[in-house]
Amino acid sequence: MTVDIRVIRAGQLYRYFLRETVAGDSRRPADTPLRTAQEQAGVPAGRWMGRGLTALGLAPGQEVTDQHLRNLFGERGRHPYADRLQADRLAAGESPEKAYRAGTLGRRVTVTGIDFVFRPAPTIYLLWALGDETTGRVIEAAHEYAIGRVLEWIEDEVAVIRYGKDGIYRVRPPGGLVAARFRHYEARSGMPLLHDHVLLSVKAQRPDSTWGSIHTTILHENTVAASALYNELVAAEVCEELGLATEPRTVTEGRRPVMEIAGVPHELIRWTARRSEQIATCLAELEHEYVTTVDDNGDPKYLPVVSERARAKLNAVAARKTRPARKEKARSLAQLRADWKQSAILTSGVPATVINSLLQRAQVAAAAIRARGPAVVDTDLAAVDVTATVLVKNEGGRFHRRHLLAEARRHLALVLRGRRRDPNLDDQIVAAAISTHCLDISEPKTVRGLEVGYRLYTARWNLSDLPARRRPTSDPERQLPADPSEPSTPVPPGPARGSRSDQAHH
């Protein structure tokens, strides 16, 4: 996944973000202004984004200041200009209590924001790191565009403000959301890693202009779909602007491939993955300790398996244990690029002639891919493939619309190979999947259960009902457009499962 998510809480965690994350992951002294720290770290200033800025007197692209961050994320959700608003009210003769409330955005909260981390596929940031300045600017523009589109999707289709007893009712924030974006250029290991931290405030306006807090759980639930959208969009923009194409790369056997820029040697990905290898080695050691833990008497417990939840926690521990010390001296982006290229030539095993002509080699590979003919998305066949894949991947064969949406976006990325598409095509595939191949098995006991995003589905058929050529497989070529002259095989709908006993088998 190339979009990560982390909760920001007022207090210690907020101070970590203010002290390090927003300053390029460089620890800054308490008395160092934010912009000075960013210049010393060699990273650009943070910028505001989101449709909700107008209500706060901010503008898209405006620089993010210490005061803004302290008020909105550190003071449990106050107005970015709370200090000025409070001073104006005091000067007008209002009591300190009323003046303070003037800078408060609804109820104060403990969770003040969500940190989304966006990073493109390795072959994209390798072209950015090892290419010329023009290539770098194109890739950064594509990166920013994709982030903006994902935020718009969250504003329009995901974010909700809860209200009513126990928050049973929900409403979209009509004015949009507010986020602060911070650009980083390298990983903790010093390797190239173009990525942005997008600090999304939980504060948003209701339809009546009062302030509420967006529901953070739903953001977590839709992270995979957000990641799939970002991956697809950033690759399409890079490919269309630079004349490139994508190809599937298998990272882990048995799991779906990831899409990378064709023609970029995978040895370069391994060159950047030193820290990942360190984390993987440490994680393997921690997992061994976990499954061979002992009880109070010193006897081994031999746990049968490491759950996904336990593995995620162990992975976080491994990342902390292997984290390198921060570099004291920052380098400019131009110097970083020069150093990265020299390191790649000396240590990656890829010839210098290849590294110096990465873009041209990728363009040649793209020409061969595009010479196969135009990519054609068959919505009906895509709906079958998406439904079948989600059926297999979700335990018990039950899933929500967001699972279909994430898979539809992956499907499009695999079929289109870096071409742009109709913005509504993913929704069309999901609509076809739900109407034709899915059975609504929702038994809502709450108001939330009646919402479109929380309807529960399963497939109308077993995988054995599908023709062999339409079943989801680990073959990354399975979703390439079929020969137009080949007749399509109809999909037997199978019996609809109307009884609970039938549904229990799937």
Side-chain angles (χ1 to χ4, degrees):
M1 184 186 300
T2 49
V3 175
D4 298 322
I5 184 172
R6 185 179 183 184
V7 168
I8 303 174
R9 298 179 184 275
Q12 184 176 2
L13 188 55
Y14 151 74
R15 288 192 294 273
Y16 167 81
F17 277 90
L18 186 60
R19 202 168 51 234
E20 300 183 12
T21 301
V22 300
D25 281 333
S26 298
R27 185 181 294 274
R28 63 163 173 153
D31 58 347
T32 303
L34 176 58
R35 188 66 196 108
T36 301
Q38 290 167 336
E39 290 173 350
Q40 292 173 349
V43 296
R47 301 293 175 185
W48 287 109
M49 61 186 304
R51 294 202 305 264
L53 294 172
T54 303
L56 296 177
L58 297 167
Q62 183 177 339
E63 183 175 330
V64 181
T65 69
D66 265 322
Q67 181 192 52
H68 293 153
L69 292 173
R70 185 184 70 249
N71 287 332
L72 192 57
F73 294 99
E75 296 295 330
R76 299 181 64 182
R78 283 173 61 75
H79 195 290
Y81 294 117
D83 299 350
R84 187 181 68 191
L85 295 173
Q86 187 173 352
D88 290 344
R89 294 300 180 90
L90 287 173
E94 290 191 2
S95 67
E97 293 79 8
K98 285 187 177 181
Y100 181 84
R101 287 199 297 272
T104 300
L105 303 177
R107 294 183 180 180
R108 303 184 71 190
V109 291
T110 300
V111 173
T112 58
I114 296 291
D115 176 32
F116 287 94
V117 183
F118 294 84
R119 63 184 184 278
T123 46
I124 293 179
Y125 63 69
L126 280 167
L127 282 170
W128 164 82
L130 303 177
D132 58 24
E133 289 187 11
T134 300
T135 302
R137 286 195 294 269
V138 169
I139 291 174
E140 287 198 45
H143 173 62
E144 290 182 17
Y145 169 79
I147 292 173
R149 284 283 307 279
V150 171
L151 181 58
E152 290 172 2
W153 173 69
I154 292 174
E155 289 177 317
D156 294 335
E157 305 293 338
V158 177
V160 293
I161 300 175
R162 296 190 299 176
Y163 67 100
K165 184 179 180 181
D166 298 325
I168 61 172
Y169 300 107
R170 302 175 179 211
V171 63
R172 296 252 184 262
L177 303 176
V178 172
R181 179 176 56 80
F182 297 88
R183 173 75 40 85
H184 292 184
Y185 294 135
E186 56 185 325
R188 289 287 178 87
S189 62
M191 288 288 108
L193 182 60
L194 173 67
H195 64 287
D196 280 24
H197 288 263
V198 177
L199 277 55
L200 180 68
S201 171
V202 301
K203 289 299 182 179
Q205 282 187 314
R206 303 182 181 94
D208 63 0
S209 297
T210 61
W211 288 90
S213 299
I214 60 175
H215 188 34
T216 57
T217 300
I218 199 170
L219 298 178
H220 283 274
E221 292 171 343
N222 283 274
T223 302
V224 176
S227 182
L229 180 59
Y230 167 78
N231 293 339
E232 182 197 352
L233 290 175
V234 71
E237 290 301 306
V238 168
C239 288
E240 292 284 7
E241 293 297 324
L242 296 176
L244 306 177
T246 59
E247 63 181 359
R249 176 173 70 95
T250 299
V251 178
T252 304
E253 287 297 328
R255 303 190 68 175
R256 62 170 57 87
V258 297
M259 301 305 293
E260 298 283 4
I261 301 297
V264 178
H266 292 173
E267 291 83 358
L268 287 174
I269 299 177
R270 290 192 285 272
W271 166 69
T272 66
R274 296 171 183 171
R275 176 155 159 74
S276 298
E277 293 172 355
Q278 293 173 346
I279 292 174
T281 300
C282 183
L283 177 61
E285 295 173 355
L286 293 173
E287 288 183 350
H288 176 73
E289 294 177 6
Y290 181 87
V291 298
T292 58
T293 187
V294 297
D295 59 22
D296 293 338
N297 297 322
D299 298 322
K301 291 182 178 179
Y302 293 108
L303 300 174
V305 69
V306 181
S307 67
E308 288 299 319
R309 185 172 184 178
R311 180 172 286 109
K313 291 183 177 180
L314 292 176
N315 189 73
V317 173
R320 288 196 299 270
K321 288 171 70 74
T322 58
R323 179 172 292 172
R326 293 179 178 82
K327 295 177 176 59
E328 296 297 328
K329 187 177 180 181
R331 295 171 289 174
S332 67
L333 181 56
Q335 186 61 53
L336 284 171
R337 283 201 172 111
D339 293 347
W340 289 330
K341 179 171 284 191
Q342 182 180 28
S343 173
I345 291 172
L346 294 176
T347 65
S348 70
V350 178
T353 53
V354 174
I355 292 174
N356 288 325
S357 59
L358 273 186
L359 179 60
Q360 293 75 18
R361 292 174 63 88
Q363 288 170 335
V364 170
I369 290 174
R370 299 202 176 203
R372 301 173 189 173
V376 177
V377 177
D378 186 316
T379 303
D380 293 334
L381 293 182
V384 174
D385 190 274
V386 165
T387 305
T389 303
V390 171
L391 176 67
V392 171
K393 294 295 183 181
N394 285 272
E395 185 178 355
R398 300 182 179 193
F399 44 84
H400 295 288
R401 185 183 184 278
R402 62 179 180 272
H403 300 114
L404 295 167
L405 185 60
E407 193 58 43
R409 289 167 173 171
R410 293 191 187 103
H411 177 100
L412 290 168
L414 192 54
V415 170
L416 295 175
R417 300 299 180 92
R419 294 175 175 88
R420 294 190 182 105
R421 58 149 171 106
D422 182 332
N424 298 318
L425 193 51
D426 50 354
D427 286 322
Q428 292 172 16
I429 293 173
V430 171
I434 290 176
S435 64
T436 307
H437 307 298
C438 295
L439 183 67
D440 191 331
I441 57 173
S442 304
E443 291 185 356
K445 297 180 180 178
T446 65
V447 172
R448 188 184 77 168
L450 296 172
E451 296 178 2
V452 173
Y454 285 97
R455 304 299 299 183
L456 188 62
Y457 299 99
T458 190
R460 291 181 178 272
W461 27 256
N462 293 315
L463 286 178
S464 58
D465 294 330
L466 288 175
R469 63 187 289 273
R470 296 303 178 203
R471 294 178 196 167
T473 70
S474 59
D475 179 6
E477 298 292 328
R478 74 179 193 271
Q479 298 178 23
L480 288 178
D483 185 338
S485 63
E486 179 187 4
S488 92
T489 305
V491 178
R497 282 170 277 167
S499 67
R500 302 299 296 178
S501 60
D502 289 338
Q503 296 163 10
H505 292 295
H506 304 285

